[in-house]
Amino acid sequence: MEQDTLKADIRRLLAERNAVLLAHNYQRDEIQEIADITGDSLALSQEAAASAADVIVFCGVHFMAESAYILAPRKTVLLPRIDAGCPMADMVTADQLRAWRAEHPGAVVVTYVNSSADVKAESDICCTSGNVVNVVRSIPEGREILMVPDRNLAQYAARMTARKLSWWDGYCPTHERLTPADIDRARAEHPGAPVVVHPECRPEVVAMADAVLSTAGMYSWCAKSTAAEFIIGTEMGILYKLRRENPGKAFHLASRGLICPNMKLTTLEDVRESLVTLTPSVTVPADILEKAVSALEAMIRIPRDN
Ligand code: CIZ
Ligand code: SF4
């Protein structure tokens, strides 16, 4: 089917179903183009909760749809590709976290939103890349802090807050691929362009960057900057909106490896099919939801730091 026909079909079905289409900043260009709202996982979950729609079509990965359901359990939350997961979220299980926690009585568990609902349910507070620094600062000095699952985000937060943290050994395979040699090469190709990277990158890459930001932070930083070109160290989907919102500026991906296969799974055909069948839907069992919602709500009360 032609893209235009597919898009028209999707818009019609969205209206018929009283549905809203949310797309993560790492989704394919055509998905972002047709979405009602694009954003990071935090912004999208909040939009899901605030929306008057009966159905949320979440174009992203599984943990994001779970978070949307946790914050809006009366709505139908569709994840057009149920196989779109996050390898980093899968690197820690609820059993593993319970066992780690048991070894550290009294510790505060800070869990990155890139985690399953089961893991969130074992946590005190969640964080995103947009508020991790403020979340850590909100914890009283002297309390032990355990962070899951991202070792790179945890090391970034430890450096920014000068706090001692313990971290789980998880990582994002996509961001992990970006190396200091890639940054050197990009800087040689684009002299003077600021290097803007995500805190999921390795600490040695983070140390080389001019700015370390969430995707939401990157949009506002690049819009405000007077630079004419930028080297971007996060998943390539971010380029769509950066280029559209900043027509006079050039954005170069720091490495060709910055593609998340899971974020690229969802196609227009999948979205259309999902709206026709109202499947696959994502739910969270009530006992898990009850515990996970307090960690997510605690996170939402902490303002963004970027
Ligand atoms: O929180 C998110 O949506 C992710 C995965 C990245 C970011 O920095 O926005
Ligand atoms: Fe997970 Fe990394 Fe893909 Fe985000 S970019 S969904 S953290 S694997």
Side-chain angles (χ1 to χ4, degrees):
M1 207 184 278
E2 283 287 315
Q3 269 212 4
D4 287 348
T5 319
L6 266 171
K7 284 182 181 164
D9 261 18
I10 291 171
R11 295 301 335 165
R12 176 181 52 78
L13 286 159
L14 284 166
E16 281 174 20
R17 300 293 201 190
N18 188 26
V20 65
L21 185 59
L22 307 184
H24 189 265
N25 294 328
Y26 294 159
Q27 288 289 293
R28 291 167 182 259
D29 291 2
E30 63 272 24
I31 298 282
Q32 293 194 49
E33 194 188 331
I34 197 183
D36 294 301
I37 297 157
T38 58
D40 63 6
S41 52
L42 171 62
L44 293 178
S45 295
Q46 288 174 305
E47 291 287 351
S51 158
D54 297 315
V55 177
I56 310 291
V57 187
F58 208 116
C59 297
V61 293
H62 193 266
F63 76 80
M64 297 178 180
E66 277 187 336
S67 295
Y69 181 82
I70 291 167
L71 295 171
R74 277 187 289 277
K75 298 185 199 292
T76 299
V77 178
L78 301 174
L79 181 66
R81 286 295 295 255
I82 202 68
D83 52 342
C86 169
M88 169 156 70
D90 294 339
M91 286 179 191
V92 65
T93 66
D95 282 346
Q96 287 173 319
L97 178 53
R98 259 193 303 273
W100 194 33
R101 197 177 183 144
E103 291 165 14
H104 298 269
V108 178
V109 174
V110 178
T111 295
Y112 191 24
V113 274
N114 296 34
S115 53
S116 69
D118 294 0
V119 165
K120 289 185 176 80
E122 299 298 324
S123 313
D124 296 300
I125 185 165
C126 292
C127 70
T128 70
S129 46
N131 73 355
V132 61
V133 173
N134 282 341
V135 166
V136 170
R137 284 196 182 125
S138 77
I139 298 166
E141 294 276 351
R143 288 289 296 275
E144 186 180 8
I145 302 175
L146 307 180
M147 270 191 81
V148 294
D150 189 356
R151 65 182 181 211
N152 294 341
L153 186 78
Q155 288 174 74
Y156 163 75
R159 228 191 48 196
M160 294 299 287
T161 58
R163 297 283 289 270
K164 206 173 143 292
L165 309 177
S166 303
W167 51 80
W168 195 254
D169 199 24
Y171 60 91
C172 162
T174 300
H175 287 86
E176 187 79 3
R177 273 201 289 275
L178 186 60
T179 63
D182 291 324
I183 303 295
D184 284 338
R185 195 175 317 114
R187 278 202 165 119
E189 280 171 23
H190 310 287
V195 172
V196 183
V197 307
H198 196 276
E200 287 175 24
C201 293
R202 300 162 182 240
E204 56 272 32
V205 167
V206 164
M208 293 170 83
D210 297 293
V212 184
L213 298 162
S214 68
T215 56
M218 286 185 191
Y219 293 124
S220 41
W221 196 90
C222 293
K224 276 192 222 124
S225 167
T226 54
E229 30 176 8
F230 303 81
I231 296 164
I232 302 294
T234 193
E235 211 280 340
M236 62 165 298
I238 194 167
L239 296 176
Y240 170 74
K241 219 160 54 178
L242 278 175
R243 287 177 176 152
R244 208 192 49 191
E245 290 176 354
N246 303 278
K249 298 177 179 177
F251 297 93
H252 312 287
L253 207 58
S255 151
R256 285 209 214 144
L258 287 165
I259 301 179
C260 172
N262 284 284
M263 280 288 182
K264 294 294 174 273
L265 278 178
T266 311
T267 62
L268 291 173
E269 281 87 352
D270 296 325
V271 174
R272 184 187 176 282
E273 182 65 15
S274 184
L275 275 162
V276 169
T277 61
L278 289 181
T279 61
S281 66
V282 171
T283 58
V284 175
D287 54 331
I288 301 291
L289 188 146
E290 206 179 299
K291 290 198 270 173
V293 78
S294 58
L296 270 177
E297 283 175 352
M299 168 185 91
I300 289 169
R301 284 194 290 272
I302 308 287
R304 284 185 182 273
D305 47 64
N306 77 84

